[in-house]
Amino acid sequence: MPGLLRRLFAPRWKHPDPEVRRQAVARLDPSRDDQRHALERLALDPEPAVREAALARLEDPERLLALCKEGDVSPELRRHLVALLAGRRGAHDLPARIALVERLEDPGLLNELALQGDNQQLRLAALARLEAEEDLIRQACDNGIAAVRHAAAARVESEAGLSRLAHEARRDRQVARKARERLNRMRADAASLAAARERREALLETLEQHAGSPWEPLYAGRFRHLMREWAKLEDLPDARQERRYQDACLRCRKVIGDHEAQEHARDADHRQRESADQTREALVEALEESLEGLQQGDRLTDQDIASLRAQKRLLATRWQALSDQHLADEALRDRYDRALAAYEGIVQARVRLDERAGAIEQALADGDDQRLEALVEACGWPPGLAPAPLLQRARQRLAAEPAREDGDLEARLSRFVEELDQLERLLESGAFKGASRLYQRLRQQADRLPQAPLEPHQARLKRLAARLAELRDWRGFVAGPKRDQLCLAIEALADEEGASDQALDRRHRQLVREWKALGDAAANREQSARFRAASDRLHERLAPWRERQQAERQRNLAAREALCEQLETLLEQPAHEADPDALREIRDRSREQWRRLAPVPREQAEPIGRRFGRIRHDLQALIDRRAREIAEAKRDLIEQTRELLAREMPAARRADQAKALQRRWRDLGRAPKGEEQALWREFRSLCDDIFASRDAARDDQAQRNRAQLDAMQALIDRLDSWHPAHSREAGVLDEAVREATALEPLPSGRRSEGMRRRWTGIVRARRERLARLSLAEEAERWQAIRPLLNAHLQADARRLAGGPVEAVPLPDGLALPSSLQDAHERRNAARQAGADDAVEERLARLRAHLSLLAGGRVNQRDDPLRLAIQVERLNDSLSQQTSRAEELHQILADLLATGPMPEGLWEREVGELDRMLESLAELPPP
């Protein structure tokens, strides 16, 4: 009972019956809030009719949008909301509707509003809310307002979307054209980006190859050029490219740093060579001064010979040590050789004198002057050298004879005064030994000269003698403490324990040199004996070490001799194409190996050193000769490059030949250091000119290719937008084909291939359309001559019925081609000839032929005709090319000429003939 009461008193819009609820909608007032809520509930009713009736009473778009958010949107609600917002229903102002559209998020509603809106601003507002590219493409293709289509097309960004627009936007060709332009621009940008990446990759490969190549004069300049080219590239490198670039730069900088280190090493070697040359010159000057001092003395004592020999051994040792490092120049070596020759002459003369000393003493004792003179001559004493005491005695004995006396007194006095001046100069310079010898000779001369003429010079001689004594005392005053110090030092060294043998030997040699440097100043037997005893103890202590040193010297000597033999073998048979760099490396390695093979025995040090010096000189001469040959070869390459630059030939071919010349340049090796850089700069300048001309030619060719491709693209676009309406427009296509032929050949590439495919497709499509237009025009011409054909049929019927023969005239104003005029005349002639039994066969053949031309099915009874017609068409196509329009024209002419035609036969066939002609007259869509 309560449920029944509720149903009885419930509102009608809540009634279970949908029809009752639909009828209740008309009684609800939307202006009242409670009834408006009822209408909104009914707008969501499960029954479509109820929903549609309720929505018809609701015209507030905001409330409808709120209903859309509450649940599923029904189709009726969607259509009503679109109608309200689009302005087809209700009386809402445009700004309010635009504001509501700007709040929408449903793509379906927005699409409908963009398509159906009553105002452009409303459609644009709906379009602005759309995000999906599919929706934008739909609006660009189907929207009825051009501004909306253009705005939608402008927001399509992907390549696939632009491609769809270019093909599907048939309603607005401007949209399709702009889409094609943007698509081409996007592809061009992608191609440009790919080209930039290829350029960056090519530059990276060039930089990596440069990092792996050896140093050359322009290595650093080329590296800086590649860095500048890298910085000029507009695109940004990725992480991998940046890492490769940094690694290549590090390797290039390492090559440059290594070369700079080698240059510093060469500079250091040059400075060391100059220092060695200065030291050698000082050594030679010291030996030459000692030899000159021996010639200025009055006697040559044993101590002088021992001192000279010690000085020569020291000089030879230091000379050989310096020669192991750097070879002396020829002038200094000649001076050294002359000084050694003078030394050898003095030593050999002393040896000969020592060998004949006993015989000379016996001759002096016996008074045998003849034998004494022969012995003195056999000694071969060098002229100008101070004689030894024994030789001086022998000469005095022989000079006592009247025939051997000196010249006149004036000459002797003049020479005495000159030697006094020389003694004074020696005392001023502190040369004690030379001054002492000269003073002894002056005293002997003073004893032999008369006293009267000598008296003016006696005071000066005594004064110089006092200065000489003062110099002797000063040397003794200085040398005495020094000798004590040296004795204590060598004794301490002999008793020292724990020091290495090498350090002991070095210190011992230094002390001996300092002792010998004192000469006879403050010399006494006790100190000499002490020094000699300590020195002997050191010799005994260092004897095992010296034996090991001697064995090592012998091994080093053998290794040096083997090295010299290897180098001599190389020099005896040098390769004609020997690389100077390889020879320089052999020279440097042999010099380094020579330095490591030190020391060697003193007796063989000088000969082996001279041998190695000659070898190095010959090797350097070979290097210089090969370097000069390479310089000449490189000059020839420069001349060939200059001729190549002046020759008329394609730039690419010239660049390839220049690359071959560059490879030959690298294979030659290096010219002399001073010439290599100058030659390379000249050769590089010529090659740069060649490559610059090649780049300019490439740029010109690329510009011509772009212009050619742009012209071809414009021709393709023009032909693509051209849709012929008459067959007589075939000349436009032929002209376009001639223009395309003039533009061939196109540059190779994907763009050219795409253009060729598109061009071929467009030309094929236009030719097919022109062929269909020709067929359609022929079919239309047949319709134009149907009155004439009907007149012939009526005349044929009357003739076949036994009536008179009538000649059908041409209608006024009807212009026929010559072939149809001939067919018309043949039809009149056939009517005069009377009935023909072959008419039906000819009509069947024409029907079958027309069916094949129209592409329709052929009846089974016409199979023999079809085969015969196909064979005839094949044979005709071999002899001459016939178009389908010409073939149709010939069929229609034969059809007009076939007669007289029975009326029943024509009525039976005309339907099928008209149907086939109508199919041929149908035109394809443009």
Side-chain angles (χ1 to χ4, degrees), residues 898-916:
T898 301
M901 182 71 66
E903 186 176 0
L905 178 60
W906 178 255
E907 293 294 336
R908 187 170 63 252
E909 299 291 347
V910 68
E912 188 173 357
L913 292 175
D914 289 340
R915 179 180 57 80
M916 288 186 288

PDB file of all heavy atoms in Angstrom, residues 898-916:
ATOM      1  N   THR A 898      28.946   0.233 -92.469  1.00  0.00           N
ATOM      2  CA  THR A 898      28.368  -1.107 -92.586  1.00  0.00           C
ATOM      3  C   THR A 898      26.874  -0.987 -92.916  1.00  0.00           C
ATOM      4  O   THR A 898      26.102  -0.403 -92.140  1.00  0.00           O
ATOM      5  CB  THR A 898      28.571  -1.899 -91.285  1.00  0.00           C
ATOM      6  OG1 THR A 898      29.969  -1.981 -91.039  1.00  0.00           O
ATOM      7  CG2 THR A 898      27.988  -3.290 -91.411  1.00  0.00           C
ATOM      8  N   GLY A 899      26.466  -1.562 -93.976  1.00  0.00           N
ATOM      9  CA  GLY A 899      25.054  -1.526 -94.383  1.00  0.00           C
ATOM     10  C   GLY A 899      24.838  -2.208 -95.739  1.00  0.00           C
ATOM     11  O   GLY A 899      25.815  -2.673 -96.356  1.00  0.00           O
ATOM     12  N   PRO A 900      23.634  -2.318 -96.202  1.00  0.00           N
ATOM     13  CA  PRO A 900      22.406  -1.874 -95.487  1.00  0.00           C
ATOM     14  C   PRO A 900      22.135  -2.750 -94.280  1.00  0.00           C
ATOM     15  O   PRO A 900      22.386  -3.938 -94.306  1.00  0.00           O
ATOM     16  CB  PRO A 900      21.324  -1.975 -96.554  1.00  0.00           C
ATOM     17  CG  PRO A 900      21.829  -2.993 -97.523  1.00  0.00           C
ATOM     18  CD  PRO A 900      23.327  -2.916 -97.526  1.00  0.00           C
ATOM     19  N   MET A 901      21.672  -2.105 -93.199  1.00  0.00           N
ATOM     20  CA  MET A 901      21.534  -2.756 -91.907  1.00  0.00           C
ATOM     21  C   MET A 901      20.069  -3.121 -91.678  1.00  0.00           C
ATOM     22  O   MET A 901      19.199  -2.243 -91.681  1.00  0.00           O
ATOM     23  CB  MET A 901      21.998  -1.821 -90.799  1.00  0.00           C
ATOM     24  CG  MET A 901      21.942  -2.432 -89.409  1.00  0.00           C
ATOM     25  SD  MET A 901      23.187  -3.694 -89.177  1.00  0.00           S
ATOM     26  CE  MET A 901      24.666  -2.705 -89.274  1.00  0.00           C
ATOM     27  N   PRO A 902      19.775  -4.433 -91.446  1.00  0.00           N
ATOM     28  CA  PRO A 902      18.384  -4.810 -91.092  1.00  0.00           C
ATOM     29  C   PRO A 902      18.008  -4.172 -89.761  1.00  0.00           C
ATOM     30  O   PRO A 902      18.826  -4.057 -88.845  1.00  0.00           O
ATOM     31  CB  PRO A 902      18.449  -6.330 -91.005  1.00  0.00           C
ATOM     32  CG  PRO A 902      19.658  -6.731 -91.806  1.00  0.00           C
ATOM     33  CD  PRO A 902      20.634  -5.615 -91.656  1.00  0.00           C
ATOM     34  N   GLU A 903      16.771  -3.764 -89.660  1.00  0.00           N
ATOM     35  CA  GLU A 903      16.328  -3.048 -88.454  1.00  0.00           C
ATOM     36  C   GLU A 903      16.372  -3.956 -87.246  1.00  0.00           C
ATOM     37  O   GLU A 903      16.769  -3.536 -86.162  1.00  0.00           O
ATOM     38  CB  GLU A 903      14.899  -2.529 -88.691  1.00  0.00           C
ATOM     39  CG  GLU A 903      14.409  -1.652 -87.554  1.00  0.00           C
ATOM     40  CD  GLU A 903      13.031  -1.060 -87.851  1.00  0.00           C
ATOM     41  OE1 GLU A 903      12.489  -1.353 -88.933  1.00  0.00           O
ATOM     42  OE2 GLU A 903      12.537  -0.303 -86.989  1.00  0.00           O
ATOM     43  N   GLY A 904      15.983  -5.231 -87.390  1.00  0.00           N
ATOM     44  CA  GLY A 904      15.989  -6.135 -86.238  1.00  0.00           C
ATOM     45  C   GLY A 904      17.405  -6.382 -85.735  1.00  0.00           C
ATOM     46  O   GLY A 904      17.645  -6.463 -84.517  1.00  0.00           O
ATOM     47  N   LEU A 905      18.327  -6.539 -86.678  1.00  0.00           N
ATOM     48  CA  LEU A 905      19.726  -6.750 -86.277  1.00  0.00           C
ATOM     49  C   LEU A 905      20.263  -5.552 -85.513  1.00  0.00           C
ATOM     50  O   LEU A 905      20.950  -5.687 -84.488  1.00  0.00           O
ATOM     51  CB  LEU A 905      20.568  -7.014 -87.532  1.00  0.00           C
ATOM     52  CG  LEU A 905      22.072  -7.215 -87.313  1.00  0.00           C
ATOM     53  CD1 LEU A 905      22.339  -8.401 -86.398  1.00  0.00           C
ATOM     54  CD2 LEU A 905      22.791  -7.394 -88.648  1.00  0.00           C
ATOM     55  N   TRP A 906      19.934  -4.362 -85.991  1.00  0.00           N
ATOM     56  CA  TRP A 906      20.443  -3.156 -85.306  1.00  0.00           C
ATOM     57  C   TRP A 906      19.815  -2.997 -83.928  1.00  0.00           C
ATOM     58  O   TRP A 906      20.508  -2.645 -82.958  1.00  0.00           O
ATOM     59  CB  TRP A 906      20.172  -1.934 -86.173  1.00  0.00           C
ATOM     60  CG  TRP A 906      20.623  -0.655 -85.528  1.00  0.00           C
ATOM     61  CD1 TRP A 906      19.855   0.278 -84.957  1.00  0.00           C
ATOM     62  CD2 TRP A 906      21.958  -0.219 -85.385  1.00  0.00           C
ATOM     63  NE1 TRP A 906      20.598   1.295 -84.451  1.00  0.00           N
ATOM     64  CE2 TRP A 906      21.938   1.011 -84.701  1.00  0.00           C
ATOM     65  CE3 TRP A 906      23.197  -0.751 -85.763  1.00  0.00           C
ATOM     66  CZ2 TRP A 906      23.072   1.717 -84.404  1.00  0.00           C
ATOM     67  CZ3 TRP A 906      24.334  -0.026 -85.463  1.00  0.00           C
ATOM     68  CH2 TRP A 906      24.280   1.197 -84.772  1.00  0.00           C
ATOM     69  N   GLU A 907      18.516  -3.282 -83.830  1.00  0.00           N
ATOM     70  CA  GLU A 907      17.860  -3.153 -82.539  1.00  0.00           C
ATOM     71  C   GLU A 907      18.447  -4.132 -81.523  1.00  0.00           C
ATOM     72  O   GLU A 907      18.522  -3.851 -80.331  1.00  0.00           O
ATOM     73  CB  GLU A 907      16.353  -3.393 -82.689  1.00  0.00           C
ATOM     74  CG  GLU A 907      15.625  -2.338 -83.485  1.00  0.00           C
ATOM     75  CD  GLU A 907      15.648  -1.004 -82.770  1.00  0.00           C
ATOM     76  OE1 GLU A 907      15.805  -0.995 -81.520  1.00  0.00           O
ATOM     77  OE2 GLU A 907      15.535   0.039 -83.433  1.00  0.00           O
ATOM     78  N   ARG A 908      18.888  -5.275 -82.027  1.00  0.00           N
ATOM     79  CA  ARG A 908      19.446  -6.282 -81.129  1.00  0.00           C
ATOM     80  C   ARG A 908      20.857  -5.900 -80.627  1.00  0.00           C
ATOM     81  O   ARG A 908      21.242  -6.204 -79.506  1.00  0.00           O
ATOM     82  CB  ARG A 908      19.481  -7.621 -81.865  1.00  0.00           C
ATOM     83  CG  ARG A 908      19.890  -8.783 -80.977  1.00  0.00           C
ATOM     84  CD  ARG A 908      19.679 -10.130 -81.654  1.00  0.00           C
ATOM     85  NE  ARG A 908      20.489 -10.283 -82.847  1.00  0.00           N
ATOM     86  CZ  ARG A 908      20.015 -10.259 -84.085  1.00  0.00           C
ATOM     87  NH1 ARG A 908      18.700 -10.104 -84.284  1.00  0.00           N
ATOM     88  NH2 ARG A 908      20.806 -10.406 -85.130  1.00  0.00           N
ATOM     89  N   GLU A 909      21.615  -5.177 -81.441  1.00  0.00           N
ATOM     90  CA  GLU A 909      23.007  -4.881 -81.092  1.00  0.00           C
ATOM     91  C   GLU A 909      23.217  -3.463 -80.549  1.00  0.00           C
ATOM     92  O   GLU A 909      24.227  -3.187 -79.898  1.00  0.00           O
ATOM     93  CB  GLU A 909      23.897  -5.048 -82.336  1.00  0.00           C
ATOM     94  CG  GLU A 909      23.899  -6.438 -82.914  1.00  0.00           C
ATOM     95  CD  GLU A 909      24.595  -7.442 -82.015  1.00  0.00           C
ATOM     96  OE1 GLU A 909      25.289  -7.012 -81.062  1.00  0.00           O
ATOM     97  OE2 GLU A 909      24.447  -8.646 -82.246  1.00  0.00           O
ATOM     98  N   VAL A 910      22.257  -2.552 -80.817  1.00  0.00           N
ATOM     99  CA  VAL A 910      22.527  -1.161 -80.496  1.00  0.00           C
ATOM    100  C   VAL A 910      22.652  -0.926 -79.003  1.00  0.00           C
ATOM    101  O   VAL A 910      23.426  -0.065 -78.548  1.00  0.00           O
ATOM    102  CB  VAL A 910      21.436  -0.261 -81.111  1.00  0.00           C
ATOM    103  CG1 VAL A 910      20.106  -0.490 -80.426  1.00  0.00           C
ATOM    104  CG2 VAL A 910      21.850   1.230 -81.021  1.00  0.00           C
ATOM    105  N   GLY A 911      21.927  -1.677 -78.225  1.00  0.00           N
ATOM    106  CA  GLY A 911      22.005  -1.466 -76.768  1.00  0.00           C
ATOM    107  C   GLY A 911      23.415  -1.739 -76.221  1.00  0.00           C
ATOM    108  O   GLY A 911      23.975  -0.959 -75.425  1.00  0.00           O
ATOM    109  N   GLU A 912      23.969  -2.872 -76.632  1.00  0.00           N
ATOM    110  CA  GLU A 912      25.318  -3.213 -76.160  1.00  0.00           C
ATOM    111  C   GLU A 912      26.353  -2.238 -76.693  1.00  0.00           C
ATOM    112  O   GLU A 912      27.294  -1.849 -75.978  1.00  0.00           O
ATOM    113  CB  GLU A 912      25.649  -4.643 -76.588  1.00  0.00           C
ATOM    114  CG  GLU A 912      26.957  -5.147 -75.967  1.00  0.00           C
ATOM    115  CD  GLU A 912      27.174  -6.619 -76.263  1.00  0.00           C
ATOM    116  OE1 GLU A 912      26.311  -7.250 -76.880  1.00  0.00           O
ATOM    117  OE2 GLU A 912      28.236  -7.123 -75.839  1.00  0.00           O
ATOM    118  N   LEU A 913      26.162  -1.801 -77.954  1.00  0.00           N
ATOM    119  CA  LEU A 913      27.116  -0.833 -78.512  1.00  0.00           C
ATOM    120  C   LEU A 913      27.070   0.484 -77.740  1.00  0.00           C
ATOM    121  O   LEU A 913      28.114   1.080 -77.435  1.00  0.00           O
ATOM    122  CB  LEU A 913      26.807  -0.598 -79.984  1.00  0.00           C
ATOM    123  CG  LEU A 913      27.056  -1.784 -80.939  1.00  0.00           C
ATOM    124  CD1 LEU A 913      26.590  -1.433 -82.356  1.00  0.00           C
ATOM    125  CD2 LEU A 913      28.524  -2.157 -80.947  1.00  0.00           C
ATOM    126  N   ASP A 914      25.859   0.970 -77.425  1.00  0.00           N
ATOM    127  CA  ASP A 914      25.755   2.217 -76.657  1.00  0.00           C
ATOM    128  C   ASP A 914      26.375   2.077 -75.269  1.00  0.00           C
ATOM    129  O   ASP A 914      27.003   3.012 -74.747  1.00  0.00           O
ATOM    130  CB  ASP A 914      24.283   2.625 -76.552  1.00  0.00           C
ATOM    131  CG  ASP A 914      23.733   3.122 -77.893  1.00  0.00           C
ATOM    132  OD1 ASP A 914      24.573   3.493 -78.752  1.00  0.00           O
ATOM    133  OD2 ASP A 914      22.511   3.123 -78.063  1.00  0.00           O
ATOM    134  N   ARG A 915      26.166   0.931 -74.660  1.00  0.00           N
ATOM    135  CA  ARG A 915      26.740   0.738 -73.316  1.00  0.00           C
ATOM    136  C   ARG A 915      28.266   0.779 -73.348  1.00  0.00           C
ATOM    137  O   ARG A 915      28.906   1.413 -72.497  1.00  0.00           O
ATOM    138  CB  ARG A 915      26.266  -0.597 -72.762  1.00  0.00           C
ATOM    139  CG  ARG A 915      26.829  -0.906 -71.354  1.00  0.00           C
ATOM    140  CD  ARG A 915      26.327  -2.246 -70.855  1.00  0.00           C
ATOM    141  NE  ARG A 915      26.671  -3.308 -71.796  1.00  0.00           N
ATOM    142  CZ  ARG A 915      27.883  -3.872 -71.858  1.00  0.00           C
ATOM    143  NH1 ARG A 915      28.833  -3.451 -71.054  1.00  0.00           N
ATOM    144  NH2 ARG A 915      28.113  -4.845 -72.726  1.00  0.00           N
ATOM    145  N   MET A 916      28.851   0.151 -74.335  1.00  0.00           N
ATOM    146  CA  MET A 916      30.322   0.162 -74.417  1.00  0.00           C
ATOM    147  C   MET A 916      30.839   1.557 -74.732  1.00  0.00           C
ATOM    148  O   MET A 916      31.877   1.990 -74.213  1.00  0.00           O
ATOM    149  CB  MET A 916      30.774  -0.848 -75.468  1.00  0.00           C
ATOM    150  CG  MET A 916      30.598  -2.300 -75.013  1.00  0.00           C
ATOM    151  SD  MET A 916      31.287  -3.507 -76.161  1.00  0.00           S
ATOM    152  CE  MET A 916      30.107  -3.408 -77.506  1.00  0.00           C
TER     153      MET A 916
END
